[in-house]
Amino acid sequence: MNETETVVRLAADIGGTFTDVVLEAGGKQVTAKLLTTSDAPEIAVADGARQLLDRSGLAFSDIGVVLLGTTLATNSIIERKGARTALIATEGFRDVLDIADESRFDQYDIFIEKPSTLVRRSLRFTVPERLDVEGKIRLALDENAVRSVAQELKRNEIESVAIAFMHSYVNDVHEVRAGEIVREVCPDIAITLSSEVCPEAREYERTSTAVANAYVQPMMAGYLGRLSERFVSAGYQGDIHLMTSAGTLASLETARRHPVRLVES
């Protein structure tokens, strides 16, 4: 592209009620506001983009870059409209989500009622395995136990599962293997490994982040996949980037695999 060519940029903000779309070309901006199509949010984005391109005498193939911001992941958690999710944890750590830590909005209220967890206790499973703080294997992963749990996932019609083992941020070998076994038994289930999503110390933070990712992943992956297909079929040839909660940009594929990064984006 030479210096005289105009970069055409399209940005959209997909909210629970409205979808706002902005097209910038030649130093000028045109905007559109549409009702969010809740069952298929990609429709409002594509329709808004087409309206602005028609008004500007441009085509999808003229767009150089697409940037998206969305509250869909946030809303899904707040409204408890995510996937039917389960958790697989190290034996003895079934209740990490309930125990949590001392952080609370009213530190000294001993009668405080915490929000319900994204995974109820009956859908939290454990398997024997243990790594130490240096990532050394102290107890090998019980693969038969993982297969048994995977059968339970199938019986409970689980759509998405988070796997969070002790000290997996140092060594992910057990989480990776457990994920492979679950995939063999339940090929259609969405799998989140805590060692991929949040490879950091502190069990509650890592486990809750993995669970949140698993909770919204099927919905967000489906939506972003359909959005990409619509834009490509309309002639768009560039990349689609998503605004993250850190104020940075993530690729479409990263956002599909780790949608928790879009919460509060």
Side-chain angles (χ1 to χ4, degrees):
M1 179 179 292
N2 60 50
E3 295 181 357
T4 61
E5 289 181 304
T6 300
V7 178
V8 179
R9 300 181 178 89
L10 181 79
D13 178 25
I14 304 96
T17 303
F18 295 108
T19 293
D20 296 287
V21 187
V22 181
L23 182 73
E24 181 182 71
K28 297 181 180 180
Q29 294 182 349
V30 287
T31 64
K33 181 182 285 287
L34 301 86
L35 287 174
T36 295
T37 45
S38 301
D39 293 335
E42 70 278 2
I43 294 177
V45 178
D47 287 349
R50 191 176 300 280
Q51 288 181 24
L52 298 183
L53 290 169
D54 289 345
R55 285 163 54 186
S56 303
L58 298 169
F60 276 89
S61 58
D62 295 317
I63 303 174
V65 63
V66 172
L67 307 176
L68 300 178
T70 178
T71 62
L72 294 179
T74 307
N75 293 344
S76 178
I77 292 175
I78 293 173
E79 298 172 2
R80 293 298 196 267
K81 292 183 177 179
R84 183 170 173 79
T85 304
L87 168 66
I88 304 177
T90 301
E91 189 173 56
F93 290 84
R94 183 182 185 185
D95 295 315
V96 166
L97 294 179
D98 289 321
I99 296 171
D101 55 28
E102 65 181 4
S103 298
R104 60 187 71 183
F105 59 84
D106 191 344
Q107 184 73 33
Y108 301 105
D109 182 1
I110 62 174
F111 300 107
I112 193 171
E113 293 187 14
K114 295 182 179 180
S116 59
T117 61
L118 297 178
V119 178
R120 66 172 184 263
R121 195 171 191 271
S122 62
L123 295 180
R124 298 181 220 150
F125 305 92
T126 64
V127 295
E129 70 83 36
R130 194 60 181 263
L131 303 177
D132 65 19
V133 70
E134 295 178 342
K136 297 177 182 178
I137 297 175
R138 296 302 183 186
L139 178 64
L141 175 67
D142 188 333
E143 296 192 0
N144 288 330
V146 177
R147 289 190 174 88
S148 178
V149 168
Q151 292 293 344
E152 286 294 321
L153 300 182
K154 183 181 293 186
R155 279 191 286 272
N156 281 279
E157 300 181 340
I158 295 301
E159 300 171 296
S160 188
V161 61
I163 301 176
F165 292 156
M166 284 290 290
H167 303 304
S168 63
Y169 57 92
V170 181
N171 184 351
D172 66 357
V173 61
H174 283 176
E175 283 194 359
V176 170
R177 181 57 186 146
E180 292 172 348
I181 295 171
V182 171
R183 178 70 66 207
E184 292 171 6
V185 179
C186 309
D188 297 325
I189 200 169
I191 299 173
T192 292
L193 305 184
S194 75
S195 53
E196 287 187 356
V197 174
C198 185
E200 300 179 8
R202 298 183 181 277
E203 292 310 301
Y204 171 65
E205 286 81 356
R206 184 160 48 81
T207 301
S208 60
T209 301
V211 165
N213 190 81
Y215 189 71
V216 300
Q217 201 268 335
M219 180 269 291
M220 291 300 296
Y223 154 61
L224 293 174
R226 296 190 304 271
L227 178 68
S228 178
E229 290 174 0
R230 278 183 174 268
F231 271 65
V232 171
S233 64
Y236 179 59
Q237 302 172 7
D239 296 324
I240 296 177
H241 300 281
L242 281 294
M243 180 68 72
T244 72
S245 57
T248 58
L249 295 177
S251 68
L252 184 76
E253 184 55 34
T254 296
R256 292 183 68 179
R257 291 176 54 237
H258 301 152
V260 72
R261 297 183 185 180
L262 308 182
V263 175
E264 295 187 348
S265 68

